[in-house]
Amino acid sequence: MATQKTALITGATSGIGFAGARELGRRGWRVFVHGRTPEKADRAAARLRAEVPQGSFQPVSADLFSLIAVAELAQRMSALAPSLNLLWNNAGGQVSKRILSAQGVEWQMAVNHLAGFALAHHLFPALQAAPQGRIVFTSSSIHSAAPRAIPRWLDSPPGRYPTLGMYGQSKLANLLFVQEFARRHSGGTVTAHAFHPGFVKTNFGSGADALYHNAFLFAVAFGISPDKGAETALFLAESPEGGTSNGLYWYQKNPKTPSRRATVEAGGRLWDESEAVLATLIQSSR
Ligand SMILES: NC(=O)c1ccc[n+]([C@@H]2O[C@H](COP(=O)([O-])OP(=O)(O)OC[C@H]3O[C@@H](n4cnc5c(N)ncnc54)[C@H](OP(=O)(O)O)[C@@H]3O)[C@@H](O)[C@H]2O)c1
C-alpha cells in the first residue's frame, strides 16, 4: 500500500483552503486543518468529516498574527507529522489600518507573509523528511498593486494606510519568498510555488473596512467557486511538475510571468528582513 501523504493547510476553515482540504481528504491525504482558533478549526474538521466520512482531518490552530503562536503550531506539527509532504500557506486577510505585532510587523505582512515564512522555516526538517516536500503559497495577481518603492518590507509606509497596497505588498512577498527559496535550495528535495487562484467567490477580507470588503464581494460576485480556486494548489501538490519546478508563479496550472517588481534584489531584502525578525524571536525564547 502506498504511504499516506500529509498536508498542513493554513486558513482551511473556509473558502479556497476548506475546498482544498476536502479534495485532498477525498484523495486519501491526511490533512491538518488549520484555523485561527481551536473552535473554528474543530468546526471545520467536523464539517469536513461529515462531507468526506472516509477522510482524515485533524484540526490545529494558531492566530497567525502572533509569531509565538506560529512557532507553537510548528512545534505541535513537528510532533504530529515528522514527515510533511505539503505545507500550503493559504491563510490570508486584509485590514484597513496599521496594526503592529509584538515584533513590530504590520498585520498584512505578518499574517499573509511572515507566518508562512516562519512555518516554512520551522517545518523544513519535516518537509525534507518527505520524498518531495512542497511549499505552496496562495498569492494573487494583485501583487502588482504593491507600492513602487518599499523602504521596509515588514511595515507600511508613513502616512495614510494603503489597504490594497499593503495587500499587494504581502502577495508580492509570497512570490518573492518562493523565488528566493528556489535560489537558496536549488538541487534539494523541497520545492516552493506561488499561485493566483483566480477571482474566487469567498468571504475574503472581512477584517477590512466595509468599503473594501464590499468592493471585493462585488468583484467576485461572478467569480469562480472555491473548488476551482483550489485546483492549481492541488496540481502543485500532486503533479510531477510540482516536484521538478521550483520558485515559479502559477495560474490555472501553468507557469505565469509575475510583475517586474519580483526582482532578485527585492527577494533578498525581504528574506533578510524576515529572517532577522525570526532570529530575534528564537534568541529571546532561549
Ligand atoms: N478569493 C479570491 O478571489 C482570492 C484571490 C487571490 C488570492 N486569494 C488568497 O486566497 C487565500 C484564501 O482566501 P479565501 O478567498 O479563501 O478567503 P477566506 O475564506 O476568508 O479564507 C481565508 C482564511 O485565512 C484565515 N485567516 C485570516 N487571518 C488569519 C489569522 N490571523 N490567523 C489564522 N487564520 C487566518 C481565515 O480564518 P478566519 O475565518 O478566522 O478569518 C480563513 O480560514 C488568501 O491568502 C487570499 O489572499 C483569494
Side-chain angles (χ1 to χ4, degrees):
M1 205 182 95
T3 322
Q4 188 178 35
K5 288 187 173 172
T6 302
L8 167 62
I9 308 178
T10 65
T13 53
S14 62
I16 300 165
F18 183 86
R22 179 172 52 206
E23 187 52 30
L24 285 184
R26 273 192 195 120
R27 296 183 193 182
W29 286 60
R30 179 184 183 210
V31 183
F32 286 90
V33 179
H34 161 265
R36 193 193 296 237
T37 62
E39 295 72 26
K40 281 188 176 182
D42 286 348
R43 259 202 315 272
R47 271 176 60 208
L48 287 162
R49 283 189 213 108
E51 291 187 38
V52 187
Q54 78 280 18
S56 165
F57 302 104
Q58 275 180 259
V60 287
S61 60
D63 183 339
L64 301 181
F65 182 50
S66 159
L67 267 186
I68 292 170
V70 171
E72 284 166 0
L73 167 66
Q75 201 173 22
R76 187 145 178 257
M77 279 305 305
S78 303
L80 290 167
S83 166
L84 187 66
N85 301 82
L86 173 66
L87 165 62
W88 178 3
N89 285 316
N90 166 74
Q94 264 189 339
V95 289
S96 296
K97 60 175 190 236
R98 181 171 176 260
I99 303 170
L100 297 184
S101 74
Q103 291 76 35
V105 180
E106 184 282 325
W107 196 97
Q108 295 197 68
M109 288 305 294
V111 172
N112 300 353
H113 156 69
L114 195 61
F117 179 92
L119 283 176
H121 170 83
H122 294 307
L123 296 177
F124 191 63
L127 289 158
Q128 274 186 311
Q132 278 190 338
R134 298 177 190 187
I135 302 166
V136 173
F137 263 97
T138 310
S139 179
S140 171
S141 61
I142 305 290
H143 72 270
S144 55
R148 257 169 226 290
I150 299 178
R152 293 175 63 208
W153 268 95
L154 301 181
D155 201 355
S156 53
R160 196 165 159 266
Y161 180 80
T163 298
L164 194 65
M166 283 315 292
Y167 178 65
Q169 181 165 322
S170 70
K171 293 287 134 178
L172 177 59
N174 296 161
L175 249 162
L176 291 172
F177 168 85
V178 304
Q179 291 182 348
E180 185 64 23
F181 178 92
R183 276 190 282 277
R184 290 175 184 240
H185 296 279
S186 72
T189 54
V190 182
T191 55
H193 316 276
F195 76 103
H196 171 56
F199 288 98
V200 189
K201 239 189 212 184
T202 66
N203 192 33
F204 177 76
S206 54
D209 280 355
L211 176 73
Y212 285 97
H213 187 48
N214 291 338
F216 169 79
L217 294 178
F218 182 73
V220 297
F222 299 100
I224 58 175
S225 69
D227 286 305
K228 267 248 155 272
E231 277 179 4
T232 300
L234 302 182
F235 168 80
L236 292 167
E238 292 196 310
S239 66
E241 289 90 329
T244 51
S245 66
N246 200 1
L248 300 182
Y249 173 54
W250 296 76
Y251 176 52
Q252 293 184 335
K253 302 183 195 168
N254 285 299
K256 191 172 160 61
T257 307
S259 147
R260 274 186 299 191
R261 286 179 218 177
T263 62
V264 176
E265 188 270 332
R269 221 154 46 78
L270 171 73
W271 191 285
D272 291 345
E273 288 181 31
S274 306
E275 206 166 48
V277 173
L278 214 58
T280 319
L281 196 77
I282 292 168
Q283 253 161 24
S284 64
S285 70
R286 284 198 180 124

